[in-house]
Amino acid sequence: MRVDKNTIMVLTVALSLMACTNYPDYGTGGIAEQYPNSDFSPVMPDEPLGPEHGLRFDWQLTKLHLDSLIREGARWCFPAAVVQALEKQNRIARELEGGLLLDAANDLVIQRRRLTELELQLDYVTSQTRCVPPIDQYSFQQQLAIIDQLYNLLNVDNQFAFDSIEVNPKYMGNLAQAANILREHPTLTLSVTGHADAIGDNQYNQNLAMGRAKQVKRYLTIFGLETNRIQTQSVGDELPLYEGNSPGVRLTNRRVSIEIVSTDEISVNNSVGGYYDQ
């Protein structure tokens, strides 16, 4: 059963109550891509309501939405999209645990949009075909593990210096390692999105962010990945990872974000699951 999207709209009221972001204690919050599935305790009758309760309820709704898509076959037809949606869901849980409410709110907006797109794709596919599990479960799990490994390689240490498109040395090492893995898995492609901080006008930031995405593409091709396996786009400063104007926040927002796309998700391949005629 699908989540009622009208219910989600009620939660937007909670966002207007939030103040500035507080950073959590060491070891909680932050990027937090690796965080186990969380479950939050209900609000007690005598407990005052705060914005965190609305966000936690919103997190539960997105979790239910994602769970329903998985039950309907999204894991089999769109394995890369599901892996990355799970990563995002876990990250939001870590932000909520660490008290990073504005960061969680930003990621919830992104996650809802991602799940809506996945639902539309799944509805289209299942209206004509069916999503079935793979015959070779071992190979399928290996593919998911590779996608997870690539996602974490490509979305860590991915920041840029102020007004610069130059890739930092540590991230360059990540790109080299990712390119080596991708060469061995030709069904996987990349979507690279460039980001900028809020300093500068919109057009300048759009161009700067695109330059960062293209520079990442350039290094991936230097490391041996074919150019036709890398798409680039820019969102300028429109999707900050964190809100605020401190040097640390601005550094975090100067980044690229990369998603892994499996071409098996648009082809029929019985060894890894996928679409099949009804």
Side-chain angles (χ1 to χ4, degrees):
M1 182 177 180
R2 295 286 168 83
V3 175
D4 182 0
K5 296 182 181 62
N6 292 328
T7 306
I8 296 176
M9 299 302 295
V10 178
L11 300 170
T12 57
V13 177
L15 300 182
S16 63
L17 301 175
M18 292 185 295
C20 296
T21 297
N22 292 316
Y23 284 91
D25 294 334
Y26 179 80
T28 62
I31 298 301
E33 299 296 353
Q34 299 297 326
Y35 185 73
N37 288 330
S38 294
D39 196 9
F40 302 112
S41 59
V43 181
M44 301 306 292
D46 58 346
E47 184 179 358
L49 289 176
E52 69 276 8
H53 296 112
L55 290 172
R56 288 183 176 192
F57 182 59
D58 202 357
W59 182 91
Q60 292 282 8
L61 287 179
T62 57
K63 182 177 184 295
L64 288 172
H65 193 182
L66 178 55
D67 289 346
S68 72
L69 294 175
I70 291 173
R71 286 194 300 272
E72 291 168 18
R75 184 186 295 275
W76 313 129
C77 280
F78 303 99
V82 169
V83 166
Q84 288 161 105
L86 288 168
E87 290 273 7
K88 178 68 76 174
Q89 196 70 23
N90 292 340
R91 169 186 172 146
I92 297 167
R94 184 65 176 268
E95 289 170 340
L96 290 171
E97 287 291 322
L100 299 174
L101 302 187
L102 284 174
D103 309 318
N106 284 340
D107 278 338
L108 280 165
V109 171
I110 296 170
Q111 181 75 329
R112 286 197 297 269
R113 183 175 62 188
R114 173 178 289 175
L115 295 181
T116 298
E117 292 172 354
L118 180 58
E119 181 176 346
L120 291 172
Q121 291 174 320
L122 187 63
D123 284 345
Y124 175 77
V125 168
T126 55
S127 70
Q128 303 179 62
T129 62
R130 59 193 177 94
C131 296
V132 300
I135 292 175
D136 187 347
Q137 283 281 347
Y138 178 73
S139 295
F140 182 74
Q141 293 300 323
Q142 280 188 315
Q143 183 193 44
L144 295 186
I146 291 297
I147 292 170
D148 188 61
Q149 181 184 8
L150 286 168
Y151 184 85
N152 286 290
L153 271 175
L154 294 168
N155 291 283
V156 173
D157 301 313
N158 53 339
Q159 293 81 29
F160 290 78
F162 176 70
D163 201 24
S164 173
I165 66 169
E166 292 305 317
V167 175
N168 74 72
K170 189 170 183 180
Y171 191 55
M172 196 178 298
N174 289 4
L175 294 177
Q177 188 176 348
N180 288 334
I181 295 170
L182 285 161
R183 288 204 305 271
E184 298 175 359
H185 297 84
T187 63
L188 300 178
T189 63
L190 301 179
S191 176
V192 183
T193 302
H195 301 262
D197 64 27
I199 297 178
D201 61 48
N202 290 338
Q203 188 58 54
Y204 186 85
N205 286 340
Q206 283 285 342
N207 294 337
L208 179 61
M210 178 58 81
R212 289 167 176 162
K214 289 183 175 179
Q215 188 76 330
V216 167
K217 178 176 181 177
R218 174 174 172 265
Y219 276 106
L220 286 167
T221 57
I222 289 173
F223 296 136
L225 192 61
E226 300 91 337
T227 57
N228 62 359
R229 296 177 62 187
I230 311 165
Q231 294 183 339
T232 57
Q233 53 268 329
S234 167
V235 295
D237 57 13
E238 293 179 5
L239 290 176
L241 192 60
Y242 297 110
E243 296 288 344
N245 293 311
S246 71
V249 166
R250 291 200 300 267
L251 172 61
T252 303
N253 290 336
R254 300 192 297 264
R255 71 195 195 281
V256 291
S257 56
I258 302 184
E259 294 195 3
I260 299 92
V261 180
S262 172
T263 56
D264 279 337
E265 296 180 357
I266 54 173
S267 66
V268 177
N269 187 335
N270 196 37
S271 65
V272 294
Y275 309 166
Y276 296 93
D277 292 335
Q278 302 220 35

